[in-house]
Amino acid sequence: MPDLALTPEAAWALATGGPWPDPALLVGDERFMALAIQEGLRGIGLSSPNPPVGCVLVKAGRVLGAGVHTRAGDPHGEIMALRDAETRDEDVRGATAYVTLEPCCHQGRTPPCTLALIQAGIARVVVGVRDPNPRVDGGGLAILRAQGLEVEEGVLGGACARFHAPFFKLIRTGLPWVSLKLALGSDEALGPEGRTTPITPPEVQRLGHALRRASEAIVVGRHTAEVDDPQLTDRWPAPTPPHRTFHRVVMDNAGQVPAGARVWQPVAGQPALRAVTGDPGPLRGVEDLRLPPGPRGCSLRHLLHELAARGVGRVLVEGGGTLVRAFLDQGLGDEFHRFLGDAPAGGTPLDLLFPREWQLRTQARWPGGRWEVWR
């Protein structure tokens, strides 16, 4: 199990499903596929509901172009890599394309990538993992082979499958990927009831924002919104394209969070949503998601379907303990990010039951605690 120092690079890797293969430690096809994954990382949080496919074009051991899909409706990673090579005045005929996900073979909002690779004169295509989308699912590989291209599948297949796991879940279930996050003391408690208890230092809190940047929505419970009065904004330091939308969602069944709460303040590109079961009075600038009741307040499954309908492929559930437990109890979580301090927080320890198959996958340490990822 990797044990990392908590740096900005490590935080982004943990937030996106890593750590990822290091191209500098690999050779041959694996090295270039690792570069394609690194390219794909630039599309996380931007491309949903489409996958952030990364692609690099290589000839004689030299990268001619690289690209990533960053917006639904825009060109896919393969097209962006071909365009990048063109801007460099590179001849891609006879080159190898390394793609994290099987190239698409159907006409959607963009033309099929298989056709673009064939027309560009690409000689070989190396694919990390097959696309489970019924409109592809091996069809892209078959078309490339039928046109005489050499095709290899499964290079860094485990890493590519992990990289595209949120897209695979969305295709197979219609539900977004759900990351659960809590900061706990060494006693596995959140702190005394009714007050905010700092567990992670400000520098670790800033690195924790990598989880928000990797998501398209954040969800908290009413109690968290009232006690902590958070903004729930994406404050990862790297700039983001103007098309990125980050939904800020509060589970407020009866509409009790006051109108003056900071979360309701308008933020460009980061709309506030209120999940309710009744018909509370409207809040200016806030959209209500009217959901049927579930085991504990609003139906969480219906919430996820509503978010998926808005193009959300990744959801971060950031608290509190009751809401995170509800996602776990209903089998709606995909991974758990636990920020565990070395000192006790006080209050009642949380009794969180992870799915039996989950394991501690990786962790990163800071002076005074660690960030664990369970999946």
Side-chain angles (χ1 to χ4, degrees), residues 102-107 112-119 122 125 135-151:
E102 177 184 5
C104 66
C105 55
H106 60 280
Q107 176 71 47
C113 292
T114 49
L115 178 61
L117 294 172
I118 293 165
Q119 291 178 338
I122 297 296
V125 179
R135 301 177 73 183
V136 186
D137 197 14
L141 303 179
I143 288 173
L144 294 171
R145 289 187 174 111
Q147 292 297 315
L149 281 73
E150 181 185 347
V151 176

Side-chain angles (χ1 to χ4, degrees), residues 360-371:
L360 177 60
R361 298 296 183 181
T362 188
Q363 62 184 354
R365 295 183 180 274
W366 73 88
R370 63 188 184 273
W371 174 350

Side-chain angles (χ1 to χ4, degrees), residues 48-115:
S48 287
N50 290 351
V53 176
C55 175
V56 295
L57 305 175
V58 178
K59 185 159 60 174
R62 191 168 63 87
V63 174
L64 308 181
V68 58
H69 183 52
T70 58
R71 184 179 186 178
D74 282 0
H76 294 179
E78 298 93 323
I79 309 302
M80 298 302 291
L82 290 169
R83 290 182 178 180
D84 183 44
E86 184 178 7
T87 63
R88 301 185 193 187
D89 200 26
E90 297 282 8
D91 182 3
V92 301
R93 288 174 296 179
T96 296
Y98 293 86
V99 193
T100 58
L101 184 69
E102 177 184 5
C104 66
C105 55
H106 60 280
Q107 176 71 47
R109 295 169 67 179
T110 60
C113 292
T114 49
L115 178 61

Side-chain angles (χ1 to χ4, degrees), residues 317-343:
V317 179
E318 203 171 87
T322 299
L323 183 61
V324 168
R325 182 185 290 114
F327 271 91
L328 286 171
D329 291 348
Q330 295 175 41
L332 295 174
D334 296 292
E335 62 182 13
F336 183 75
H337 294 261
R338 179 166 70 172
F339 290 71
L340 193 62
D342 290 343

